[in-house]
């Protein structure tokens, strides 16, 4: 009775919470749950999340997607439709339920095949046929591997004879050494770090990294310029828009970023907040090869200029290697205070097995066959063996100006994909992945030039 007479008294809950407190607690709890589940849609794709929250897809018996290349079918599982395809009714026989089922199937088709133009193929279990069957209203896709092969102007692996019968030579020995380095680096990665972003050769384990580890300023724009000229080349020189954009960009680079040091070294500086930093990053050293690659299709009066510019930029990048104690180049090098092509602080003195310099060596060798590029390339091979090779792979080093290497315990994946690949091609014949037939993307993956039948020459065979 006393409690009823006191209007401000509210009985406490068994947990000691009053009604407003319970309301705030429930509000906080619901917000936390919403945040946790909502975050799943904002995080990057993760196989771990998929394994935790998504049920595995099952393949509908008798329904497979087949991609056939040169007689080798590859099957890939696809999400099965919610209902089997209904038989097509005779005119006037369709009822509401069948129409609803048809609508559901159309929605499923739009969801799983949003473009509506790519063909899907089915394999009938009864016949075992691997023929491709296009979707209704779609355009059949087919890849004629033999026709593609016949349009290549050079065999993929070149015309040289069997290596076992090839006479011994210095170039062959150098090529074999780089091949051994590639095999050693790959075996180590496969043994200790398979599926991880990179190998830690000192501790013999892998490292996944995260998207917040490092953002390179040099890497935010370089691929754009590179892909302009490479789009022109991949199109068999028909993408005129990409070509024009490339030469316009190259003129702008010359106007605003290109400099020559007092010692005569040509370099591409960096522009930061309206101020020119007389600094060139290792990532920018790909530009020598890029300019050499595009020199042939420039205006006639500019071709010699671009070839010389490519050679001078590549020479500057070589100097950044030659002026270090290890003969490996720093992450960035400066041109100020009487010092040229050297890093001025320890935070820029590291080398992480980057490929850009040897990439330019390879392109300049293919363009000029000047033996200096193979000499410079072999200097890199020797330095890698001496300072970067460890018991379980190759490691970057933290200071290229110290003859006693301090390893960073990371074998970057681009060392396999790019650095060693470009070195191997540097000591190979020109028709090994010929530049007439292939264009290397920014990760050194070869992509075929789109030769038309009329532009191909006889003799292209694998």
């Amino acid at each position: 009775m006393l409690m009823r007479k006191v209007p401000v008294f509210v009985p406490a809950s068994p947990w000691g919470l009053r009604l407003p407190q319970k309301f705030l607690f429930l509000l906080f709890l619901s917000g936390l749950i919403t945040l946790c589940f909502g975050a799943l849609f904002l995080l990057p794709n993760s196989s771990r999340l998929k394994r935790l929250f998504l049920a595995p897809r099952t393949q509908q018996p008798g329904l497979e997607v087949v991609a056939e290349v040169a007689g080798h079918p590859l099957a890939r599982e696809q999400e099965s439709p919610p209902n089997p395809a209904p038989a097509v009714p005779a005119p006037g026989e369709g009822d509401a339920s069948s129409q609803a089922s048809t609508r559901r199937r159309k929605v499923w088709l739009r969801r799983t095949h949003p473009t509506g133009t790519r063909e899907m193929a089915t394999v009938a279990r009864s016949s075992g046929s691997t023929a491709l069957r296009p979707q209704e209203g779609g355009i059949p896709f087919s890849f004629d591997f033999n026709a593609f092969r016949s349009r290549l102007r050079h065999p993929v692996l070149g015309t040289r004879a069997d290596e076992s019968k090839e006479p011994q030579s210095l170039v062959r020995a150098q090529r074999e050494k780089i091949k051994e380095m590639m095999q050693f680096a790959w075996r180590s990665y496969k043994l200790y770090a398979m599926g991880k972003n990179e190998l830690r050769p000192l501790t013999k384990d892998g490292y996944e990294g995260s998207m917040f580890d490092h953002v390179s300023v040099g890497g935010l724009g370089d691929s754009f310029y590179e892909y302009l000229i490479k789009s022109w080349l991949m199109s068999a020189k028909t993408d005129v828009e990409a070509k024009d954009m490339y030469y316009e960009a190259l003129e702008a680079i010359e106007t605003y970023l290109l400099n020559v040091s007092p010692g005569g070294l040509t370099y591409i500086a960096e522009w930061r907040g309206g101020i020119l930093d007389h600094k060139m990053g290792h990532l920018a050293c790909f530009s020598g090869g890029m300019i050499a690659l595009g020199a042939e299709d420039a205006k006639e009066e500019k071709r010699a200029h671009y070839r010389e510019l490519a050679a001078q930029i590549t020479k500057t990048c070589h100097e950044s290697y030659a002026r270090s104690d290890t003969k490996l180049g720093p992450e960035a090098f400066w041109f100020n205070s009487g010092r040229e092509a050297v890093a001025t602080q320890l935070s820029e003195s590291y080398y992480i097995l980057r490929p850009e310099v040897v990439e330019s060596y390879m392109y300049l060798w293919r363009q000029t066959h000047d033996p200096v590029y193979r000499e410079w390339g072999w200097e890199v091979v020797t330095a890698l063996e001496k300072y970067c090779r460890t018991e379980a792979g190759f490691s970057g080093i933290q200071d290229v100006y110290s003859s006693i290497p301090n390893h960073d315990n990371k074998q970057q994946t681009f060392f396999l994909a790019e650095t060693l690949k470009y070195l191997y091609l540097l000591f190979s014949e020109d028709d090994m992945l010929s530049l007439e037939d292939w264009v290397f993307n920014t990760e050194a993956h070869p992509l075929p030039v789109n030769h038309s039948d009329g532009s191909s020459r006889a003799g292209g065979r694998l």
Side-chain angles (χ1 to χ4, degrees), residues 96-144:
S97 62
S98 64
Q99 292 174 3
S101 176
T102 302
R103 284 196 298 271
R104 286 197 300 272
R105 180 166 178 81
K106 288 181 178 179
V107 169
W108 175 83
L109 286 173
R110 286 196 299 270
R111 188 176 69 249
T112 54
H113 311 290
T115 60
T117 59
R118 294 185 180 179
E119 56 116 14
M120 288 289 130
T122 59
V123 177
R125 298 183 67 186
S126 58
S127 64
S129 170
T130 59
L132 296 176
R133 189 169 67 202
Q135 289 283 354
E136 250 182 68
I139 301 175
F141 170 82
S142 63
F143 177 70
D144 190 337

Side-chain angles (χ1 to χ4, degrees), residues 178-223:
I178 299 167
K179 185 176 180 180
E180 183 275 330
M181 294 168 65
M182 170 89 67
Q183 292 171 338
F184 170 68
W186 169 248
R187 284 195 304 266
S188 298
Y189 172 77
K190 185 177 180 181
L191 180 62
Y192 300 113
M194 192 65 177
K196 302 297 180 63
N197 285 353
E198 56 199 35
L199 165 68
R200 287 172 165 169
L202 301 185
T203 51
K204 299 181 181 179
D205 59 357
Y207 176 65
E208 288 193 356
S210 82
M211 60 181 176
F212 302 108
D213 277 352
H214 174 69
V215 176
S216 171
V217 175
L220 294 179
D222 53 354
S223 297

Side-chain angles (χ1 to χ4, degrees), residues 47 96 152 221 240 295:
S47 57
L152 293 179
V240 179

Side-chain angles (χ1 to χ4, degrees), residues 51-76:
R51 286 196 298 268
L52 286 172
F53 296 101
L54 299 181
R57 290 183 178 182
T58 57
Q59 183 177 3
Q60 181 188 4
L63 183 62
E64 298 175 357
V65 178
V66 177
E68 186 176 1
V69 178
H72 298 283
L74 300 176
R76 179 166 57 90

Side-chain angles (χ1 to χ4, degrees), residues 277-296:
D277 278 346
H278 293 275
K279 162 191 174 182
M280 185 171 180
H282 195 293
L283 286 164
C285 284
F286 84 97
S287 57
M290 177 190 72
I291 295 170
L293 194 62
E296 178 183 353

